[in-house]
Amino acid sequence: MLAPLIDIGSLTPAEDIVDHVLLEIVGRGTATKPSGHEAICGRLLAAGATIEVKDRTGRTALQWAKRLRREEIAQLLLSALRRRKQAAEPS
């Protein structure tokens, strides 16, 4: 099993907790042993989790999803990233 992706002692402002939980959830399970955390990731993203936040090793949730072959979560993160970038573009 992977070591925890975040250092609980490093959590600071309350709004950052959602970001850190996203990183932690992505690291659970593998491609061959699914975790069922896709729904949780979706809710965290809907709550405004920052997709680009990095853990203490310098990796993002998307990098962890790709590394662990969590294809469904990787696609969820990529879709959310695309939507956010489109929403940020001036009309």
Side-chain angles (χ1 to χ4, degrees), residues 51-52 78-91:
I51 300 168
E52 298 88 357
L78 285 169
S79 294
L81 192 57
R82 278 192 293 271
R83 282 192 306 275
R84 289 181 185 181
K85 286 183 179 181
Q86 288 173 348
E89 290 177 359
S91 314

Side-chain angles (χ1 to χ4, degrees), residues 7-86:
D7 177 5
I8 298 301
S10 70
L11 294 179
T12 45
E15 62 270 7
D16 291 343
I17 292 174
V18 173
D19 302 337
H20 292 290
V21 170
L22 178 65
L23 281 165
E24 182 69 22
I25 292 297
V26 171
R28 306 276 176 177
T30 64
T32 56
K33 182 180 162 191
S35 64
H37 289 133
E38 292 81 4
I40 296 170
C41 288
R43 294 187 82 160
L44 290 167
L45 291 168
T50 306
I51 300 168
E52 298 88 357
V53 71
K54 294 181 180 180
D55 65 10
R56 63 184 170 154
T57 67
R59 291 188 180 99
T60 65
L62 182 56
Q63 289 170 323
W64 275 112
K66 287 180 178 182
R67 181 182 177 121
L68 298 173
R69 295 177 299 161
R70 307 285 309 281
E71 294 301 323
E72 286 131 11
I73 290 179
Q75 289 303 316
L76 183 69
L77 293 166
L78 285 169
S79 294
L81 192 57
R82 278 192 293 271
R83 282 192 306 275
R84 289 181 185 181
K85 286 183 179 181
Q86 288 173 348

